[in-house]
Amino acid sequence: MKNRNLVRGLFLMAIALGFGLTALRYPIGDFSRAGPGLFPVMVSSLLLLIGVATVVRSFVVAPVALNLNFKNIGLILSSLCGFALISMYVNMIAGIVFMVFCSAFAGSSNSWLRNVKISAGLIAMALALQKLLGLNLPLF
């Protein structure tokens, strides 16, 4: 039996190391004058710590069986690919709505009202990033 918590921790550690080691190619700088690599290194370091804690915790708690549901994996991947394509060719708001509603089919319960609320929250976050931080997001 494969332990889901152990696999989850190892996966988080692999992602953190992948992004962290890539970010080390950029100048780090210091906290008073941050370089472009400082933020990714900090985030990947925190993710690495979470991964290590998850691996250590997996040896303490009772093991949980790892069940791979390929239908759900396919739904999540297709919702992310659909988000990217719709954002590129239509706009990001339509991509967000598609991503939320498509990925919701991977859950155990499906509520259109919950999906509308999540879509509205993500659209509000994207608008805030566009207006407050000046990011160039194709929202309209």
Side-chain angles (χ1 to χ4, degrees), residues 58-78:
S58 72
F59 293 113
V60 176
V61 299
V64 180
L66 175 66
N67 298 323
L68 290 177
N69 190 341
F70 292 107
K71 175 190 154 225
N72 289 350
I73 293 171
L75 281 169
I76 298 298
L77 287 175
S78 64

Side-chain angles (χ1 to χ4, degrees), residues 100-101 104-115:
V100 169
F101 277 85
F105 289 118
S108 57
S109 66
N110 197 356
S111 166
W112 68 271
L113 183 61
R114 181 186 64 204
N115 293 344

Side-chain angles (χ1 to χ4, degrees), residues 11-86:
F11 188 71
L12 287 175
M13 290 170 54
I15 290 174
L17 287 174
F19 280 102
L21 294 175
T22 304
L24 288 177
R25 295 181 186 173
Y26 298 108
I28 301 293
D30 53 14
F31 288 116
S32 64
R33 194 148 173 90
L38 183 64
F39 182 72
V41 166
M42 288 175 43
V43 172
S44 63
S45 299
L46 291 174
L47 187 62
L48 182 68
L49 287 174
I50 292 170
V52 168
T54 305
V55 167
V56 169
R57 184 177 179 269
S58 72
F59 293 113
V60 176
V61 299
V64 180
L66 175 66
N67 298 323
L68 290 177
N69 190 341
F70 292 107
K71 175 190 154 225
N72 289 350
I73 293 171
L75 281 169
I76 298 298
L77 287 175
S78 64
S79 69
L80 290 172
C81 292
F83 167 75
L85 289 172
I86 293 171

Side-chain angles (χ1 to χ4, degrees), residues 92 96 117-133 135 137 139:
M92 195 173 204
I96 289 171
K117 290 177 183 177
I118 292 171
S119 296
L122 290 174
I123 291 169
M125 179 64 76
L127 281 169
L129 290 172
Q130 183 186 44
K131 301 298 181 195
L132 299 176
L133 294 180
L135 294 179
L137 298 177
L139 291 176

